[in-house]
Amino acid sequence: MTAASRSAAKIGLVTVSDRAFQGIYEDQGIPALQSWLDATLSTPWQALTRLVPDEQELIETALKELVDEQGCCLVLTTGGTGPAPRDVTPEATLAVADRVLDGFGEQMRAVSLKYVPTAILSRQLGVVRKQALILNLPGQPKAIKETLDGVFAAVPYCIDLIGGPYLETKPDTVPVFRPKSALRP
């Protein structure tokens, strides 16, 4: 591991899908998350990925491992947020949460409602576990991008407030909002 990779912000990327886990189709969630983060973040970062089935215990285990053992400051999940019986990502996320940040779920649904009326069926969440922010995102690549475009401006400052690394974005992408007192040169 190089010095640069040791200092890179660790970001967990989790796809929750029975069919992708079983190899019935290729996961598109993790590649969409990686592509969006590569295009947006100017801060060096390292992806730690997990592909898990729609099983609450396995989702909880993945989230705890990424935060507690791997030291991720941000974990983005994709999939499993709908009303179907096997959609248990929100339950798993709440089970490992120290705090719920209601505004993230509200804003993610508001963003999605601009594109599809079924956004009201989503149970997306934003929570804090230790020094990490966990966000439950939709499962489709287009919806992942739309949602991150709509909420990411608040993510770096949230991570600052919970003791994580100082994340910055590239010019002409999502502008990060921080109060003047929180800006670094």
Side-chain angles (χ1 to χ4, degrees):
M1 182 181 283
T2 67
S5 61
R6 275 195 305 272
S7 64
K10 292 182 180 180
I11 299 177
L13 308 177
V14 181
T15 291
V16 179
S17 169
D18 286 332
R19 291 177 291 169
F21 183 79
Q22 294 167 358
I24 295 171
Y25 65 74
E26 187 175 337
D27 171 42
Q28 296 179 353
I30 290 172
L33 291 168
Q34 286 177 312
S35 176
W36 191 92
L37 290 164
D38 281 339
T40 305
L41 288 178
S42 62
T43 302
W45 71 284
Q46 174 188 2
L48 288 92
T49 63
R50 304 290 184 272
L51 175 58
V52 296
D54 290 280
E55 296 289 342
Q56 183 170 339
E57 185 177 325
L58 297 176
I59 301 165
E60 288 177 29
T61 298
L63 297 175
K64 289 189 281 190
E65 191 258 332
L66 287 166
V67 174
D68 302 356
E69 297 172 29
Q70 298 299 320
C72 290
C73 65
L74 175 63
V75 177
L76 302 174
T77 73
T78 177
T81 61
R86 294 219 22 101
D87 290 337
V88 295
T89 303
E91 287 78 8
T93 303
L94 286 171
V96 304
D98 295 328
R99 291 183 157 175
V100 176
L101 300 174
D102 294 318
F104 277 108
E106 293 164 4
Q107 184 61 22
M108 287 188 280
R109 282 182 290 281
V111 166
S112 294
L113 272 170
K114 294 177 185 176
Y115 303 100
V116 294
T118 54
I120 61 174
L121 303 177
S122 174
R123 298 178 309 121
Q124 296 163 315
L125 290 172
V127 305
V128 172
R129 177 178 177 86
K130 298 184 180 180
Q131 292 181 307
L133 173 63
I134 302 173
L135 296 178
N136 298 153
L137 299 169
Q140 296 301 315
K142 181 177 181 284
I144 290 169
K145 179 186 180 334
E146 292 164 352
T147 303
L148 285 172
D149 285 347
V151 301
F152 200 81
V155 168
Y157 184 53
C158 178
I159 292 171
D160 294 350
L161 292 171
I162 60 176
Y166 193 83
L167 299 179
E168 296 182 277
T169 58
K170 296 174 183 173
D172 301 321
T173 64
V174 177
V176 173
F177 176 82
R178 287 183 171 96
K180 289 180 184 178
S181 63
L183 295 174
R184 295 184 190 169

PDB file of all heavy atoms in Angstrom, residues 84-108:
ATOM      1  N   ALA A  84     -41.195  -4.080  -1.360  1.00  0.00           N
ATOM      2  CA  ALA A  84     -41.302  -5.534  -1.519  1.00  0.00           C
ATOM      3  C   ALA A  84     -40.833  -6.245  -0.243  1.00  0.00           C
ATOM      4  O   ALA A  84     -39.976  -5.728   0.481  1.00  0.00           O
ATOM      5  CB  ALA A  84     -40.479  -5.992  -2.722  1.00  0.00           C
ATOM      6  N   PRO A  85     -41.371  -7.419   0.018  1.00  0.00           N
ATOM      7  CA  PRO A  85     -41.008  -8.130   1.254  1.00  0.00           C
ATOM      8  C   PRO A  85     -39.505  -8.358   1.431  1.00  0.00           C
ATOM      9  O   PRO A  85     -39.007  -8.355   2.551  1.00  0.00           O
ATOM     10  CB  PRO A  85     -41.755  -9.460   1.120  1.00  0.00           C
ATOM     11  CG  PRO A  85     -42.936  -9.155   0.253  1.00  0.00           C
ATOM     12  CD  PRO A  85     -42.441  -8.111  -0.717  1.00  0.00           C
ATOM     13  N   ARG A  86     -38.758  -8.566   0.352  1.00  0.00           N
ATOM     14  CA  ARG A  86     -37.319  -8.827   0.481  1.00  0.00           C
ATOM     15  C   ARG A  86     -36.490  -7.539   0.510  1.00  0.00           C
ATOM     16  O   ARG A  86     -35.279  -7.594   0.684  1.00  0.00           O
ATOM     17  CB  ARG A  86     -36.834  -9.739  -0.643  1.00  0.00           C
ATOM     18  CG  ARG A  86     -37.477 -11.098  -0.476  1.00  0.00           C
ATOM     19  CD  ARG A  86     -36.702 -12.318  -0.753  1.00  0.00           C
ATOM     20  NE  ARG A  86     -35.285 -12.358  -0.742  1.00  0.00           N
ATOM     21  CZ  ARG A  86     -34.563 -12.844   0.280  1.00  0.00           C
ATOM     22  NH1 ARG A  86     -35.134 -13.258   1.382  1.00  0.00           N
ATOM     23  NH2 ARG A  86     -33.253 -12.913   0.167  1.00  0.00           N
ATOM     24  N   ASP A  87     -37.100  -6.387   0.362  1.00  0.00           N
ATOM     25  CA  ASP A  87     -36.390  -5.108   0.424  1.00  0.00           C
ATOM     26  C   ASP A  87     -36.164  -4.737   1.890  1.00  0.00           C
ATOM     27  O   ASP A  87     -37.024  -4.135   2.531  1.00  0.00           O
ATOM     28  CB  ASP A  87     -37.188  -4.004  -0.283  1.00  0.00           C
ATOM     29  CG  ASP A  87     -37.225  -4.169  -1.790  1.00  0.00           C
ATOM     30  OD1 ASP A  87     -36.325  -4.833  -2.336  1.00  0.00           O
ATOM     31  OD2 ASP A  87     -38.145  -3.625  -2.419  1.00  0.00           O
ATOM     32  N   VAL A  88     -35.006  -5.112   2.420  1.00  0.00           N
ATOM     33  CA  VAL A  88     -34.731  -4.923   3.856  1.00  0.00           C
ATOM     34  C   VAL A  88     -33.500  -4.057   4.126  1.00  0.00           C
ATOM     35  O   VAL A  88     -33.010  -4.006   5.247  1.00  0.00           O
ATOM     36  CB  VAL A  88     -34.602  -6.281   4.588  1.00  0.00           C
ATOM     37  CG1 VAL A  88     -35.926  -7.027   4.574  1.00  0.00           C
ATOM     38  CG2 VAL A  88     -33.478  -7.124   3.987  1.00  0.00           C
ATOM     39  N   THR A  89     -33.017  -3.361   3.104  1.00  0.00           N
ATOM     40  CA  THR A  89     -31.849  -2.502   3.326  1.00  0.00           C
ATOM     41  C   THR A  89     -32.112  -1.442   4.393  1.00  0.00           C
ATOM     42  O   THR A  89     -31.261  -1.243   5.275  1.00  0.00           O
ATOM     43  CB  THR A  89     -31.390  -1.858   2.000  1.00  0.00           C
ATOM     44  OG1 THR A  89     -31.113  -2.902   1.050  1.00  0.00           O
ATOM     45  CG2 THR A  89     -30.149  -1.015   2.196  1.00  0.00           C
ATOM     46  N   PRO A  90     -33.259  -0.761   4.398  1.00  0.00           N
ATOM     47  CA  PRO A  90     -33.490   0.224   5.458  1.00  0.00           C
ATOM     48  C   PRO A  90     -33.511  -0.397   6.866  1.00  0.00           C
ATOM     49  O   PRO A  90     -32.982   0.189   7.808  1.00  0.00           O
ATOM     50  CB  PRO A  90     -34.845   0.838   5.100  1.00  0.00           C
ATOM     51  CG  PRO A  90     -34.987   0.602   3.636  1.00  0.00           C
ATOM     52  CD  PRO A  90     -34.324  -0.715   3.387  1.00  0.00           C
ATOM     53  N   GLU A  91     -34.118  -1.573   6.996  1.00  0.00           N
ATOM     54  CA  GLU A  91     -34.146  -2.223   8.307  1.00  0.00           C
ATOM     55  C   GLU A  91     -32.734  -2.557   8.788  1.00  0.00           C
ATOM     56  O   GLU A  91     -32.397  -2.358   9.964  1.00  0.00           O
ATOM     57  CB  GLU A  91     -35.004  -3.499   8.265  1.00  0.00           C
ATOM     58  CG  GLU A  91     -36.489  -3.237   8.183  1.00  0.00           C
ATOM     59  CD  GLU A  91     -36.996  -2.849   6.802  1.00  0.00           C
ATOM     60  OE1 GLU A  91     -36.233  -2.920   5.809  1.00  0.00           O
ATOM     61  OE2 GLU A  91     -38.157  -2.453   6.703  1.00  0.00           O
ATOM     62  N   ALA A  92     -31.897  -3.062   7.880  1.00  0.00           N
ATOM     63  CA  ALA A  92     -30.512  -3.388   8.231  1.00  0.00           C
ATOM     64  C   ALA A  92     -29.743  -2.118   8.591  1.00  0.00           C
ATOM     65  O   ALA A  92     -28.960  -2.106   9.543  1.00  0.00           O
ATOM     66  CB  ALA A  92     -29.838  -4.108   7.066  1.00  0.00           C
ATOM     67  N   THR A  93     -29.981  -1.058   7.850  1.00  0.00           N
ATOM     68  CA  THR A  93     -29.287   0.202   8.102  1.00  0.00           C
ATOM     69  C   THR A  93     -29.698   0.776   9.458  1.00  0.00           C
ATOM     70  O   THR A  93     -28.841   1.218  10.239  1.00  0.00           O
ATOM     71  CB  THR A  93     -29.580   1.201   6.962  1.00  0.00           C
ATOM     72  OG1 THR A  93     -29.170   0.598   5.725  1.00  0.00           O
ATOM     73  CG2 THR A  93     -28.834   2.496   7.152  1.00  0.00           C
ATOM     74  N   LEU A  94     -30.982   0.762   9.747  1.00  0.00           N
ATOM     75  CA  LEU A  94     -31.447   1.260  11.048  1.00  0.00           C
ATOM     76  C   LEU A  94     -30.894   0.422  12.201  1.00  0.00           C
ATOM     77  O   LEU A  94     -30.583   0.955  13.269  1.00  0.00           O
ATOM     78  CB  LEU A  94     -32.971   1.276  11.097  1.00  0.00           C
ATOM     79  CG  LEU A  94     -33.645   2.378  10.299  1.00  0.00           C
ATOM     80  CD1 LEU A  94     -35.152   2.154  10.243  1.00  0.00           C
ATOM     81  CD2 LEU A  94     -33.316   3.751  10.865  1.00  0.00           C
ATOM     82  N   ALA A  95     -30.746  -0.872  11.975  1.00  0.00           N
ATOM     83  CA  ALA A  95     -30.257  -1.755  13.035  1.00  0.00           C
ATOM     84  C   ALA A  95     -28.813  -1.444  13.433  1.00  0.00           C
ATOM     85  O   ALA A  95     -28.416  -1.707  14.568  1.00  0.00           O
ATOM     86  CB  ALA A  95     -30.376  -3.214  12.603  1.00  0.00           C
ATOM     87  N   VAL A  96     -28.030  -0.867  12.509  1.00  0.00           N
ATOM     88  CA  VAL A  96     -26.626  -0.564  12.824  1.00  0.00           C
ATOM     89  C   VAL A  96     -26.393   0.925  13.081  1.00  0.00           C
ATOM     90  O   VAL A  96     -25.274   1.339  13.375  1.00  0.00           O
ATOM     91  CB  VAL A  96     -25.668  -1.056  11.704  1.00  0.00           C
ATOM     92  CG1 VAL A  96     -25.850  -2.549  11.450  1.00  0.00           C
ATOM     93  CG2 VAL A  96     -25.837  -0.262  10.412  1.00  0.00           C
ATOM     94  N   ALA A  97     -27.437   1.733  12.996  1.00  0.00           N
ATOM     95  CA  ALA A  97     -27.311   3.192  13.096  1.00  0.00           C
ATOM     96  C   ALA A  97     -27.172   3.671  14.535  1.00  0.00           C
ATOM     97  O   ALA A  97     -27.810   3.136  15.440  1.00  0.00           O
ATOM     98  CB  ALA A  97     -28.521   3.865  12.461  1.00  0.00           C
ATOM     99  N   ASP A  98     -26.348   4.700  14.712  1.00  0.00           N
ATOM    100  CA  ASP A  98     -26.298   5.431  15.969  1.00  0.00           C
ATOM    101  C   ASP A  98     -27.296   6.587  15.952  1.00  0.00           C
ATOM    102  O   ASP A  98     -27.870   6.928  16.981  1.00  0.00           O
ATOM    103  CB  ASP A  98     -24.892   5.992  16.220  1.00  0.00           C
ATOM    104  CG  ASP A  98     -23.851   4.896  16.403  1.00  0.00           C
ATOM    105  OD1 ASP A  98     -24.193   3.819  16.937  1.00  0.00           O
ATOM    106  OD2 ASP A  98     -22.688   5.111  16.000  1.00  0.00           O
ATOM    107  N   ARG A  99     -27.481   7.190  14.766  1.00  0.00           N
ATOM    108  CA  ARG A  99     -28.393   8.320  14.595  1.00  0.00           C
ATOM    109  C   ARG A  99     -28.988   8.289  13.199  1.00  0.00           C
ATOM    110  O   ARG A  99     -28.318   7.923  12.240  1.00  0.00           O
ATOM    111  CB  ARG A  99     -27.656   9.655  14.733  1.00  0.00           C
ATOM    112  CG  ARG A  99     -27.172   9.956  16.103  1.00  0.00           C
ATOM    113  CD  ARG A  99     -26.535  11.307  16.103  1.00  0.00           C
ATOM    114  NE  ARG A  99     -26.560  11.811  17.457  1.00  0.00           N
ATOM    115  CZ  ARG A  99     -25.999  12.923  17.841  1.00  0.00           C
ATOM    116  NH1 ARG A  99     -25.382  13.687  16.969  1.00  0.00           N
ATOM    117  NH2 ARG A  99     -26.046  13.312  19.085  1.00  0.00           N
ATOM    118  N   VAL A 100     -30.229   8.734  13.105  1.00  0.00           N
ATOM    119  CA  VAL A 100     -30.884   8.861  11.801  1.00  0.00           C
ATOM    120  C   VAL A 100     -30.850  10.334  11.398  1.00  0.00           C
ATOM    121  O   VAL A 100     -31.121  11.214  12.216  1.00  0.00           O
ATOM    122  CB  VAL A 100     -32.350   8.365  11.866  1.00  0.00           C
ATOM    123  CG1 VAL A 100     -33.058   8.590  10.536  1.00  0.00           C
ATOM    124  CG2 VAL A 100     -32.399   6.891  12.255  1.00  0.00           C
ATOM    125  N   LEU A 101     -30.511  10.580  10.145  1.00  0.00           N
ATOM    126  CA  LEU A 101     -30.513  11.936   9.586  1.00  0.00           C
ATOM    127  C   LEU A 101     -31.680  12.010   8.595  1.00  0.00           C
ATOM    128  O   LEU A 101     -31.526  11.742   7.404  1.00  0.00           O
ATOM    129  CB  LEU A 101     -29.182  12.237   8.898  1.00  0.00           C
ATOM    130  CG  LEU A 101     -27.950  12.163   9.806  1.00  0.00           C
ATOM    131  CD1 LEU A 101     -26.669  12.325   8.995  1.00  0.00           C
ATOM    132  CD2 LEU A 101     -28.029  13.204  10.900  1.00  0.00           C
ATOM    133  N   ASP A 102     -32.853  12.336   9.110  1.00  0.00           N
ATOM    134  CA  ASP A 102     -34.084  12.300   8.317  1.00  0.00           C
ATOM    135  C   ASP A 102     -34.009  13.124   7.039  1.00  0.00           C
ATOM    136  O   ASP A 102     -34.629  12.764   6.036  1.00  0.00           O
ATOM    137  CB  ASP A 102     -35.269  12.795   9.159  1.00  0.00           C
ATOM    138  CG  ASP A 102     -35.586  11.867  10.314  1.00  0.00           C
ATOM    139  OD1 ASP A 102     -35.572  10.640  10.115  1.00  0.00           O
ATOM    140  OD2 ASP A 102     -35.848  12.374  11.414  1.00  0.00           O
ATOM    141  N   GLY A 103     -33.285  14.222   7.065  1.00  0.00           N
ATOM    142  CA  GLY A 103     -33.211  15.101   5.900  1.00  0.00           C
ATOM    143  C   GLY A 103     -32.685  14.422   4.656  1.00  0.00           C
ATOM    144  O   GLY A 103     -33.115  14.750   3.551  1.00  0.00           O
ATOM    145  N   PHE A 104     -31.770  13.475   4.811  1.00  0.00           N
ATOM    146  CA  PHE A 104     -31.245  12.788   3.623  1.00  0.00           C
ATOM    147  C   PHE A 104     -32.343  11.980   2.930  1.00  0.00           C
ATOM    148  O   PHE A 104     -32.506  12.059   1.722  1.00  0.00           O
ATOM    149  CB  PHE A 104     -30.046  11.904   3.966  1.00  0.00           C
ATOM    150  CG  PHE A 104     -28.747  12.651   4.024  1.00  0.00           C
ATOM    151  CD1 PHE A 104     -28.137  12.889   5.241  1.00  0.00           C
ATOM    152  CD2 PHE A 104     -28.138  13.117   2.875  1.00  0.00           C
ATOM    153  CE1 PHE A 104     -26.937  13.586   5.304  1.00  0.00           C
ATOM    154  CE2 PHE A 104     -26.943  13.813   2.920  1.00  0.00           C
ATOM    155  CZ  PHE A 104     -26.345  14.051   4.139  1.00  0.00           C
ATOM    156  N   GLY A 105     -33.099  11.186   3.690  1.00  0.00           N
ATOM    157  CA  GLY A 105     -34.179  10.413   3.080  1.00  0.00           C
ATOM    158  C   GLY A 105     -35.222  11.298   2.436  1.00  0.00           C
ATOM    159  O   GLY A 105     -35.691  11.029   1.320  1.00  0.00           O
ATOM    160  N   GLU A 106     -35.578  12.373   3.140  1.00  0.00           N
ATOM    161  CA  GLU A 106     -36.564  13.310   2.597  1.00  0.00           C
ATOM    162  C   GLU A 106     -36.075  13.915   1.278  1.00  0.00           C
ATOM    163  O   GLU A 106     -36.821  13.985   0.293  1.00  0.00           O
ATOM    164  CB  GLU A 106     -36.830  14.424   3.612  1.00  0.00           C
ATOM    165  CG  GLU A 106     -37.520  13.944   4.873  1.00  0.00           C
ATOM    166  CD  GLU A 106     -37.435  14.944   6.019  1.00  0.00           C
ATOM    167  OE1 GLU A 106     -36.895  16.064   5.825  1.00  0.00           O
ATOM    168  OE2 GLU A 106     -37.895  14.607   7.118  1.00  0.00           O
ATOM    169  N   GLN A 107     -34.826  14.351   1.250  1.00  0.00           N
ATOM    170  CA  GLN A 107     -34.296  14.989   0.041  1.00  0.00           C
ATOM    171  C   GLN A 107     -34.109  13.990  -1.095  1.00  0.00           C
ATOM    172  O   GLN A 107     -34.366  14.313  -2.252  1.00  0.00           O
ATOM    173  CB  GLN A 107     -32.978  15.713   0.350  1.00  0.00           C
ATOM    174  CG  GLN A 107     -32.412  16.480  -0.830  1.00  0.00           C
ATOM    175  CD  GLN A 107     -33.332  17.584  -1.345  1.00  0.00           C
ATOM    176  OE1 GLN A 107     -34.206  18.073  -0.640  1.00  0.00           O
ATOM    177  NE2 GLN A 107     -33.148  17.969  -2.588  1.00  0.00           N
ATOM    178  N   MET A 108     -33.675  12.766  -0.771  1.00  0.00           N
ATOM    179  CA  MET A 108     -33.514  11.773  -1.832  1.00  0.00           C
ATOM    180  C   MET A 108     -34.853  11.477  -2.505  1.00  0.00           C
ATOM    181  O   MET A 108     -34.926  11.369  -3.733  1.00  0.00           O
ATOM    182  CB  MET A 108     -32.868  10.496  -1.276  1.00  0.00           C
ATOM    183  CG  MET A 108     -31.393  10.677  -0.959  1.00  0.00           C
ATOM    184  SD  MET A 108     -30.537   9.153  -0.513  1.00  0.00           S
ATOM    185  CE  MET A 108     -31.010   8.963   1.204  1.00  0.00           C
TER     186      MET A 108
END
